[in-house]
């Protein structure tokens, strides 16, 4: 079952207007939340990012959209679906209601919430070979940092990845700087210095990114800096990994002919698994 505008609905019976602005213009935002035993992890950060994104897109935020409201909705959704896993994924999608062409005539919103099971803690097994995606570039500026329902570059990178047998792709911005992977923020380690692109480069303002940066600053064996990353730095790095709240910290094992270490990512995975799931 899903929640559609406060109502529990069987998934196959959920219907929205054919001309909703999320479909017509990508006029929407979403938030993906990891839960452990029904409790949303990093919930406050997710909630405020969703509200901030709606304000930036000049959506009308309903009075009911309080932190307590979404917590109760998450609980109700878990109970309704009887998910047999301690680890679950919640997606909240908000879109502006139909009306107008490019210029909306109505800034009220509709929303949906769905839940699915996850089978693991933060872990890394196997390989994760990546390549640069050069066909299209991510925009600079604030809009690129939001989780909007307009993710065309990420989609096309995902298709390219599948067609060429890679595990992930690294995306470039309009300045040809390396920004992120298809679904995660990027970190690069050289010796004890760990770099990640700044928000100004157009990378997603990731929740896990913020948590990882904060933890790295507490660790005496690493220095973390937010600086632009050029493609030339990738093969000189000792280690690369990407982050998001669902996958956690995902090591990159190979880029072109270079194979990478996993030591910093291993430390971070161990820390967050112990902090969040023990």
């Amino acid at each position: 079952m899903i929640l559609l505008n406060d109502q529990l609905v069987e998934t196959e019976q959920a219907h929205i207007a054919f001309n909703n602005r999320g479909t017509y213009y990508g006029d929407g935002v979403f938030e993906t939340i990891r839960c452990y035993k029904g409790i949303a992890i990093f919930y406050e950060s997710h909630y405020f990012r969703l509200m901030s994104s709606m304000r930036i897109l000049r959506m009308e935020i309903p009075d009911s959209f309080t932190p307590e409201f979404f917590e109760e909705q998450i609980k109700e959704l878990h109970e309704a679906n009887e998910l047999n896993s301690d680890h679950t994924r919640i997606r909240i999608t908000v879109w502006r209601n139909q009306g107008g062409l490019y210029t909306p005539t109505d800034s009220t919103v509709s929303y949906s919430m769905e839940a699915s099971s996850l089978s693991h803690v933060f872990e890394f097994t196997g390989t994760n070979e990546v390549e640069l995606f050069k066909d299209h570039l991510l925009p600079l500026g604030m809009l690129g940092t939001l989780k909007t329902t307009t993710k065309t570059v990420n989609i096309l990178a995902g298709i390219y990845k599948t067609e060429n047998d890679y595990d992930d792709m690294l995306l470039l911005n309009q300045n040809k700087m390396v920004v992120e992977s298809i679904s995660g923020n990027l970190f690069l380690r050289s010796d004890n210095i760990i770099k990640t692109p700044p928000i100004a480069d157009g990378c997603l303002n990731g929740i896990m990114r913020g948590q990882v940066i904060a933890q790295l600053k507490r660790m005496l064996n690493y220095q973390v800096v937010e600086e632009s990353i050029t493609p030339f730095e990738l093969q000189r790095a000792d280690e690369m990994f990407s982050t998001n709240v669902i996958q956690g910290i995902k090591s990159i094992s190979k880029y072109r002919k270079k194979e990478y270490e996993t030591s910093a990512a291993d430390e971070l995975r161990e820390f967050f698994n112990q902090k969040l799931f023990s």
Side-chain angles (χ1 to χ4, degrees):
M1 299 188 77
I2 71 164
L3 277 162
L4 181 60
N5 292 328
D6 305 355
Q7 299 296 316
L8 279 169
V9 183
E10 294 288 348
T11 305
E12 60 273 13
Q13 297 175 359
H15 301 289
I16 61 175
F18 77 93
N19 60 341
N20 77 85
R21 295 185 63 85
T23 300
Y24 265 31
Y25 302 109
D27 191 1
V29 294
F30 69 99
E31 199 69 28
T32 307
I33 303 173
R34 186 178 186 123
C35 297
Y36 179 59
K37 295 184 177 180
I39 305 299
I41 295 171
F42 309 135
Y43 174 70
E44 185 177 273
S45 296
H46 282 291
Y47 172 78
F48 285 114
R49 183 172 68 174
L50 178 61
M51 296 302 104
S52 174
S53 297
M54 291 177 67
R55 289 190 186 96
I56 291 169
L57 295 185
R58 304 183 72 83
M59 293 176 170
E60 185 176 312
I61 300 176
D63 292 338
S64 62
F65 275 22
T66 65
E68 295 76 16
F69 170 78
F70 282 114
E71 283 184 309
E72 186 59 35
Q73 296 274 279
I74 290 171
K75 179 181 177 182
E76 183 177 358
L77 195 59
H78 275 97
E79 292 174 351
N81 283 282
E82 299 180 345
L83 298 173
N84 296 317
S85 174
D86 285 343
H87 301 272
T88 53
R89 175 185 182 272
I90 297 288
R91 173 171 166 141
I92 304 171
T93 309
V94 180
W95 60 93
R96 201 186 320 262
N97 288 324
Q98 61 267 26
L101 300 176
Y102 283 130
T103 304
T105 58
D106 184 354
S107 282
T108 63
V109 299
S110 293
Y111 83 98
S112 66
M113 186 183 295
E114 57 190 280
S116 57
S117 296
L118 296 172
S119 60
H120 56 77
V121 296
F122 295 157
E123 61 184 4
F124 174 71
T125 57
T127 61
N128 182 23
E129 183 177 357
V130 305
E131 181 53 87
L132 281 179
F133 182 63
K134 300 178 181 178
D135 290 0
H136 302 279
L137 305 174
L138 292 171
L140 294 164
M142 182 181 295
L143 292 181
T145 73
L146 308 181
K147 295 197 75 162
T148 67
T149 54
T150 309
K151 288 293 184 182
T152 308
V153 176
N154 303 65
I155 292 166
L156 293 175
I159 295 170
Y160 185 96
K161 172 198 75 171
T162 301
E163 290 177 344
N164 293 277
D165 295 324
Y166 291 109
D167 299 300
D168 206 342
M169 301 299 296
L170 302 182
L171 310 183
L172 300 168
N173 67 13
Q174 292 169 331
N175 290 337
K176 305 295 180 68
M177 296 291 116
V178 186
V179 177
E180 58 193 12
S181 69
I182 291 175
S183 58
N185 290 107
L186 180 67
F187 290 79
L188 179 156
R189 179 179 67 81
S190 298
D191 295 325
N192 69 328
I193 297 175
I194 297 180
K195 292 178 65 173
T196 192
I199 295 298
D201 275 6
C203 68
L204 178 70
N205 187 12
I207 302 301
M208 198 68 201
R209 173 186 183 274
Q211 294 291 327
V212 166
I213 289 173
Q215 176 57 21
L216 287 170
K217 288 180 178 179
R218 300 185 194 104
M219 298 166 71
L220 299 179
N221 49 334
Y222 298 115
Q223 176 187 350
V224 60
V225 293
E226 297 181 58
E227 291 181 358
S228 297
I229 295 175
T230 70
F232 304 105
E233 295 179 68
L234 300 179
Q235 288 181 291
R236 296 201 298 265
D238 299 313
E239 179 175 3
M240 292 198 294
F241 55 90
S242 62
T243 66
N244 71 35
V245 294
I246 302 301
Q247 71 187 20
I249 299 94
K250 186 176 182 180
S251 294
I252 291 170
S253 57
K254 186 177 181 181
Y255 167 68
R256 299 184 179 175
K257 295 182 179 181
K258 177 66 180 285
E259 296 186 1
Y260 297 92
E261 302 171 7
T262 65
S263 56
D266 290 341
E267 286 185 66
L268 289 164
R269 277 190 290 270
E270 182 178 2
F271 169 80
F272 283 106
N273 281 331
Q274 185 174 10
K275 175 184 178 182
L276 300 175
F277 310 130
S278 62

